[in-house]
Amino acid sequence: LELDKLRGLKATLAEAEAIPASQQLPLPQGGNDGLATCARGNDADLDEDLDELVARHCADRDAARSLATALRKRATTSEHQRRRLVADLRLARNTIRRLELAGPPPAADRDARHALSLAQRLEQLVAVHRQLLRKYAALELNLAEATKKICLR
């Protein structure tokens, strides 16, 4: 946008310099010599500004290309990781299906019964533990009420 503005100003300056001297308005303090000097000075400033904008544009373009390259690389890496994870998941799912269809091995049957027995015993112990916790909480409430009654007497 700034580059277009500078080019427009440069074109306007060139048009102004192309106007014949008979059509130009007289300038105070020095006539056309001051304007020509001023125009040449502005032209040099415009060239410097244009060069600066071009350099900034090139730097921004290079930075954008570097960022785009990094993003493409990250996307490629992420896609590769996703494909590996999907393949691992399929392999695990197929292994589980195969093991489920095969059933437990004969030696594992005894171990499975033992594990089931242990799991049932654990459930029983957890139930007893919960009962004891409820009983303890009720006793604490009764103790608090009894302490209040004693304090009131």
Side-chain angles (χ1 to χ4, degrees), residues 66-142:
S66 298
L67 182 61
T69 302
L71 289 175
R72 269 190 243 105
K73 185 176 180 180
R74 183 179 288 172
T76 303
T77 303
S78 297
E79 182 62 25
H80 179 68
Q81 288 175 346
R82 188 189 71 78
R83 286 181 186 154
R84 279 195 336 212
L85 289 172
V86 167
D88 289 345
L89 181 64
R90 285 183 182 148
L91 179 65
R93 186 182 63 208
N94 291 338
T95 303
I96 289 171
R97 283 183 185 162
R98 187 172 31 89
L99 291 174
E100 286 175 347
L101 292 175
D109 191 33
R110 183 173 33 117
D111 292 337
R113 282 190 309 229
H114 182 66
L116 182 62
S117 173
L118 289 176
Q120 289 172 347
R121 181 72 179 138
L122 179 61
E123 288 177 17
Q124 290 172 353
L125 289 173
V126 168
V128 169
H129 181 259
R130 287 183 181 151
Q131 287 175 351
L132 291 173
L133 285 176
R134 282 195 291 278
K135 192 173 191 178
Y136 178 74
L139 288 174
E140 279 190 342
L141 287 174
N142 290 339

